[in-house]
């Protein structure tokens, strides 16, 4: 629909010039309205405004035409032109307001913060399960008065083997296929050399209670149950009267703390070069309570660690008199404890850094 000019037509015959001018003005407004629909910026609108209402606009020509209009028609035609001019100004003003509104809306849409949108999740790190178990075991032993000791991962053959009653060519070395760096240096195969270092550092030969957590290395082909790298925690007590009964009491306490207060332990005779006598320590199965299940191989018992009374040769090698000193040592694999506690079926999961695995043990 073409909007018609709101002109109060006089109640008399329509003159020719009047009719012609009205058509002209209507098409002018129509043309403007079409152009306004395509305007996207205030700048374009201003250009359009000056085209229609500026000094050189079409209205100047129309005013010139007015001079040629007859005297009778002049007032009506003049009024028509003015009214058309006002309509055009009004349309442009309306277009300006609508354009400004659109710009505000666009700004609101693009710049506002929608507080109802879900926030970005922060990736919060947590301790690796191995670190968690180490801390758990450390806490248990610190509570018993032990001190945490650490040592180098590259060790000498002397501290890793010889001082621990494993002389060169000792058949027990076959138990620990080792990663040698040179003839005399290797990646430690257990944390026991930290015990040797601690014994030697203890110049006054005071009684001592230490635990040594750390990474150890063996020449193993990695599979579900073997890893070339794993973590050990060893404990050593040296005193004048530390007995196997003290060792058993300590083991029972630790087993209950780690696997539950209802646990019992049993000691089976075993062999380690650095302890004499040596024992393997089993704990009653925490899944079946000792009745027998697939977890414990239907025996009711699960092997958790090795222990024993410190071999006299180890004491002698470190300069301690076996007639005045005795002690006990125990060693556990941290991965084994984690595997048993959380039912993990592949030791490689600890080292492959799959976040899906690690995240399961967040905050444990
Ligand atoms: Zn069981």
């Amino acid at each position: 629909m073409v909007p018609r000019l709101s002109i109060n037509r006089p109640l008399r015959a329509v003159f020719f010039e009047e009719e012609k001018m009205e058509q002209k003005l209507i098409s002018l407004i129509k043309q403007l309205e079409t152009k306004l629909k395509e305007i996207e910026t205030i700048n374009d609108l201003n250009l359009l405004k000056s085209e229609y209402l500026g000094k050189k606009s079409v209205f100047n020509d129309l005013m010139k035409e007015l001079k040629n209009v007859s005297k009778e028609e002049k007032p009506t035609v003049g009024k028509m032109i003015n009214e058309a001019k006002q309509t055009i100004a009004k349309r442009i003003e309306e277009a300006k307001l609508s354009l400004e509104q659109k710009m505000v809306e666009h700004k609101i849409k693009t710049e506002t913060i929608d507080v109802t949108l879900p926030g970005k999740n922060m990736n919060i790190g947590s301790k690796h399960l191995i670190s968690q178990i180490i801390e758990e075991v450390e806490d248990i032993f610190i509570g018993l008065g032990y001190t945490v000791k650490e040592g180098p991962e590259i060790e000498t053959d002397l501290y890793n083997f010889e001082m621990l009653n494993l002389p060169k060519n000792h058949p027990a070395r076959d138990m620990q296929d080792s990663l040698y760096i040179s003839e005399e240096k290797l990646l430690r195969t257990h944390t026991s050399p930290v015990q040797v270092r601690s014994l030697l550092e203890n110049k006054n030969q005071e009684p001592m209670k230490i635990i040594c957590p750390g990474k150890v290395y063996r020449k193993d082909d990695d599979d579900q149950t073997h890893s070339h790298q794993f973590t050990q925690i060893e404990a050593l007590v040296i005193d004048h009267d530390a007995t196997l009964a003290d060792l058993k009491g300590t083991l029972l306490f630790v087993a209950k703390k780690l696997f539950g207060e209802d646990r019992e332990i049993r000691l089976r005779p075993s062999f380690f070069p650095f302890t004499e006598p040596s024992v393997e320590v089993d704990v009653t199965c925490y899944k079946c309570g000792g009745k027998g299940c697939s977890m414990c191989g239907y025996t009711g018992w699960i092997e958790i660690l090795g222990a024993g009374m410190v071999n006299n040769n180890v004491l002698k090698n470190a300069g301690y008199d076996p007639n005045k000193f005795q002690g006990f040592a125990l060693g556990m694999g941290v991965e084994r404890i984690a595997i048993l506690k959380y039912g993990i079926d592949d030791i490689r999961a600890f080292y492959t850094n799959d976040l899906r695995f690690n995240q399961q043990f967040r905050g444990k």
Side-chain angles (χ1 to χ4, degrees):
M1 275 273 283
V2 180
R4 292 194 50 98
L5 290 168
S6 61
I7 292 168
N8 293 322
R9 284 168 173 274
L11 292 169
R12 57 187 166 86
V14 176
F15 292 97
F16 175 68
E17 288 298 335
E18 213 179 309
E19 190 72 31
K20 223 171 86 182
M21 184 56 81
E22 190 181 16
Q23 286 309 315
K24 229 181 226 179
L25 292 171
I26 285 169
S27 79
L28 196 65
I29 291 169
K30 196 181 165 191
Q31 187 193 55
L32 173 89
E33 283 172 343
T34 309
K35 283 184 183 174
L36 281 176
K37 278 179 194 156
E38 286 160 16
I39 289 292
E40 281 176 357
T41 66
I42 292 287
N43 197 33
D44 288 346
L45 187 72
N46 286 336
L47 289 173
L48 202 63
K49 189 178 175 181
S50 96
E51 185 187 331
Y52 279 84
L53 301 172
K55 280 176 186 169
K56 287 176 184 172
S57 78
V58 66
F59 281 99
N60 285 332
D61 298 334
L62 291 175
M63 291 312 270
K64 277 176 200 161
E65 272 181 45
L66 193 61
K67 284 175 192 164
N68 305 325
V69 174
S70 68
K71 207 180 165 188
E72 295 97 330
E73 286 181 281
K74 208 173 253 175
T76 320
V77 175
K79 204 179 168 195
M80 265 186 204
I81 294 173
N82 270 333
E83 280 182 354
K85 209 174 175 178
Q86 281 165 20
T87 304
I88 284 177
K90 202 179 153 199
R91 293 280 183 278
I92 288 174
E93 191 55 31
E94 282 166 2
K96 193 184 169 197
L97 288 174
S98 136
L99 204 58
E100 282 170 352
Q101 181 66 24
K102 268 185 201 162
M103 283 165 71
V104 169
E105 279 167 12
H106 177 75
K107 212 175 173 185
I108 288 169
K109 241 184 222 173
T110 53
E111 289 180 11
T112 46
I113 300 159
D114 185 350
V115 292
T116 63
L117 283 173
K120 280 184 185 164
N121 283 334
M122 297 270 283
N123 282 325
I124 299 168
S126 62
K127 280 177 185 155
H128 192 277
L129 181 57
I130 294 296
S131 302
Q132 293 176 37
I133 301 273
I134 290 173
E135 286 181 8
E136 191 180 343
V137 175
E138 280 178 358
D139 282 349
I140 295 167
F141 279 96
I142 288 168
L144 292 170
Y146 287 67
T147 308
V148 179
K149 287 274 192 179
E150 289 181 338
E153 288 172 27
I154 296 175
E155 262 301 355
T156 59
D157 186 272
L158 180 69
Y159 287 175
N160 193 78
F161 290 129
E162 286 183 56
M163 296 278 286
L164 288 160
N165 202 29
L166 278 151
K168 282 197 164 78
N169 304 319
H170 188 290
R173 287 199 185 193
D174 290 343
M175 288 159 64
Q176 305 177 350
D177 277 351
S178 319
L179 292 159
Y180 275 88
I181 290 162
S182 68
E183 190 84 3
E184 289 302 322
K185 287 199 170 166
L186 72 158
L187 293 178
R188 67 182 179 192
T189 58
H190 45 189
T191 49
S192 310
V194 184
Q195 301 184 13
V196 174
R197 288 172 177 274
S198 302
L199 285 170
L200 293 171
E201 276 169 18
N202 184 18
K203 302 270 188 237
N204 295 329
Q205 302 193 334
E206 301 285 342
M208 65 171 171
K209 291 158 89 175
I210 57 165
I211 59 163
C212 321
K215 291 196 273 288
V216 301
Y217 306 86
R218 308 265 172 105
K219 216 160 77 186
D220 242 336
D221 287 329
D222 292 2
D223 62 23
Q224 206 170 341
T225 53
H226 295 85
S227 172
H228 64 282
Q229 175 194 323
F230 56 99
T231 319
Q232 267 193 345
I233 299 181
E234 292 188 14
L236 172 71
V237 171
I238 295 292
D239 209 332
H240 301 290
D241 53 4
T243 66
L244 189 65
D246 295 322
L247 170 60
K248 196 178 175 187
T250 305
L251 290 169
L252 182 61
F253 181 82
V254 173
K256 282 176 183 287
K257 286 285 174 196
L258 278 175
F259 294 103
E261 286 299 322
D262 298 336
R263 301 284 74 77
E264 293 297 331
I265 57 163
R266 75 173 180 189
L267 308 184
R268 283 180 290 113
S270 185
F271 167 78
F272 302 111
F274 24 83
T275 48
E276 178 66 42
S278 302
V279 291
E280 296 279 0
V281 183
D282 297 340
V283 65
T284 45
C285 179
Y286 44 86
K287 200 174 174 192
C288 63
K291 288 191 200 95
C293 69
S294 60
M295 177 93 189
C296 55
Y298 300 94
T299 63
W301 296 93
I302 294 172
E303 185 187 322
I304 53 166
L305 56 87
M309 299 305 291
V310 177
N311 189 298
N312 282 349
N313 288 337
V314 174
L315 288 172
K316 277 188 223 160
N317 289 344
Y320 289 70
D321 181 352
N323 294 316
K324 291 182 186 162
F325 291 95
Q326 58 187 39
F328 60 80
L330 61 95
M332 64 183 90
V334 176
E335 285 79 359
R336 178 155 177 81
I337 303 293
I339 283 167
L340 291 173
K341 278 190 87 154
Y342 300 111
I344 295 155
D345 58 7
D346 193 333
I347 195 170
R348 291 169 295 194
F350 294 114
Y351 303 108
T352 43
N353 288 329
D354 186 336
L355 283 178
R356 290 169 303 176
F357 173 80
N358 294 342
Q359 282 167 351
Q360 291 177 68
F361 306 103
R362 216 173 233 188
K364 276 265 167 22

